[in-house]
Amino acid sequence: MSRKPRHEEERVANRIEELRTQVDLSRQELADRVGVHYQTIGYLERGEYSPSLVLALKISAALGASVDEVFTIEQGE
Amino acid sequence: MSSTSDKIDEFSKQLETKIERGVIHWVRNDQAFNFLRNTPARWLLALLSVAMLYGFGLYAWITEGITGYIYPALILGMVLIQKLSVRFVFDDDSVIDEYQHSRRNRAYRRAYKRIGLVLALVVVLLVLRSWDFTKISLTAQNHFWPFPNGSFESQFSVEQVVIGLEFIAGLFTLQKYLSWGMRGERN
């Protein structure tokens, strides 16, 4: 059960920015709705941070989409 | 009488809490401090912190005198700027989100390791110094003893001891900010 090399690890991709723009929300507004700092929304959108399940559910609800519409698992190279 | 006094106490307490929260909320979120939060600023703050903690600390240790008073003031100033730079994430658990929480925990882990290394280095230097002293003192008596015997002639002045303690306090306080990382905020 050895750990996969970093470049082979799965990462969580998301469509937060795309869906946020569609529902006409600013980062600050989305951050206020889900209870995080607006910078954290930036880190999430750029894929620099993978959210907890609770935060993923909150974001999906705020964007009016299901979790699997917002987040997908991307396989590393 | 007591009831009026209690009410005044309660009101003062509430006002104090309100003002404190207001000030902290302002400095934490006001964009006026964003110039301290980007990546180049994080690098600059890290370099200044290290130069001040180690460089100025050594200078103060050597020169003693007035620099011993400037050193803690510089450490305090740098801690305040670092607090602003990381939005006070190390101060209050209840107001940070999960990203800040996870990054803060990683910073603590790194800080413990680094402080351990620095303190181990200091201990090694002291042992070597003790060894050197042992060799010198015993060679003068025509003896040879290749191992440190634990004896150590302290030649530190009170000011140097104080500066040493200030360095340790500064190391423990600043290291978590240095371990927070260089990646700053982006818009």
Side-chain angles (χ1 to χ4, degrees):
Chain A
M1 248 336 243
S2 63
R3 197 173 167 175
K4 286 179 184 177
R6 206 175 178 85
H7 67 277
E8 284 180 22
E9 280 177 7
E10 295 100 350
R11 59 180 286 275
V12 178
N14 68 74
R15 294 169 56 216
I16 297 175
E17 189 170 14
E18 181 193 332
L19 295 170
R20 179 174 60 77
T21 317
Q22 276 177 20
V23 294
D24 200 23
L25 278 178
S26 69
R27 273 185 189 166
Q28 183 68 65
E29 286 166 335
L30 178 59
D32 290 342
R33 286 190 187 191
V34 299
V36 296
H37 195 269
Y38 74 91
Q39 282 286 333
T40 299
I41 301 295
Y43 290 119
L44 288 165
E45 287 181 353
R46 291 190 296 271
E48 293 174 15
Y49 175 66
S50 297
S52 68
L53 181 57
V54 174
L55 183 56
L57 286 164
K58 282 183 182 174
I59 290 171
S60 305
L63 295 173
S66 62
V67 177
D68 58 353
E69 281 177 296
V70 185
F71 299 96
T72 48
I73 293 175
E74 213 171 57
Q75 194 68 44
E77 292 162 17
Chain B
M1 184 68 187
S2 159
S3 151
T4 313
S5 169
D6 285 348
K7 277 180 186 172
I8 291 170
D9 279 354
E10 185 62 30
F11 175 75
S12 310
K13 205 174 170 183
Q14 282 177 357
L15 188 66
E16 200 178 317
T17 311
K18 207 172 175 182
I19 291 171
E20 195 181 327
R21 281 197 183 154
V23 170
I24 289 177
H25 185 267
W26 168 64
V27 290
R28 193 195 297 273
N29 295 304
D30 200 292
Q31 301 208 348
F33 299 106
N34 278 2
F35 71 100
L36 292 170
R37 293 169 178 150
N38 54 44
T39 301
R42 293 287 314 146
W43 272 102
L44 186 63
L45 285 181
L47 288 173
L48 283 174
S49 298
V50 170
M52 187 274 303
L53 186 65
Y54 293 90
F56 193 84
L58 185 64
Y59 176 69
W61 171 277
I62 294 166
T63 56
E64 301 180 45
I66 190 77
T67 49
Y69 297 96
I70 298 171
Y71 189 44
L74 285 177
I75 291 174
L76 281 175
M78 192 52 74
V79 168
L80 181 65
I81 296 171
Q82 288 278 10
K83 276 178 190 283
L84 282 167
S85 176
V86 300
R87 295 182 187 272
F88 292 77
V89 289
F90 296 101
D91 291 58
D92 190 351
D93 246 9
S94 63
V95 291
I96 59 175
D97 67 26
E98 64 172 60
Y99 168 79
Q100 291 168 319
H101 204 272
S102 83
R103 195 167 170 186
R104 189 202 63 169
N105 288 352
R106 195 182 56 186
Y108 272 131
R109 281 198 300 276
R110 283 181 183 168
Y112 279 125
K113 281 184 194 168
R114 290 177 187 174
I115 286 174
L117 278 174
V118 173
L119 293 184
L121 187 68
V122 170
V123 169
V124 167
L125 287 174
L126 284 175
V127 168
L128 288 176
R129 176 71 182 81
S130 168
W131 190 5
D132 201 32
F133 170 72
T134 308
K135 273 199 311 191
I136 292 165
S137 62
L138 293 180
T139 306
Q141 298 167 40
N142 291 324
H143 291 292
F144 176 71
W145 182 252
F147 306 107
N149 65 359
S151 64
F152 187 80
E153 189 182 26
S154 171
Q155 294 171 339
F156 305 138
S157 68
V158 174
E159 281 173 328
Q160 283 178 322
V161 171
V162 170
I163 290 164
L165 292 173
E166 287 166 358
F167 167 78
I168 291 170
L171 179 71
F172 273 86
T173 315
L174 274 172
Q175 191 57 61
K176 55 182 180 282
Y177 295 101
L178 294 171
S179 300
W180 173 258
M182 302 304 168
R183 190 173 66 187
E185 295 180 357
R186 286 197 280 175
N187 290 321

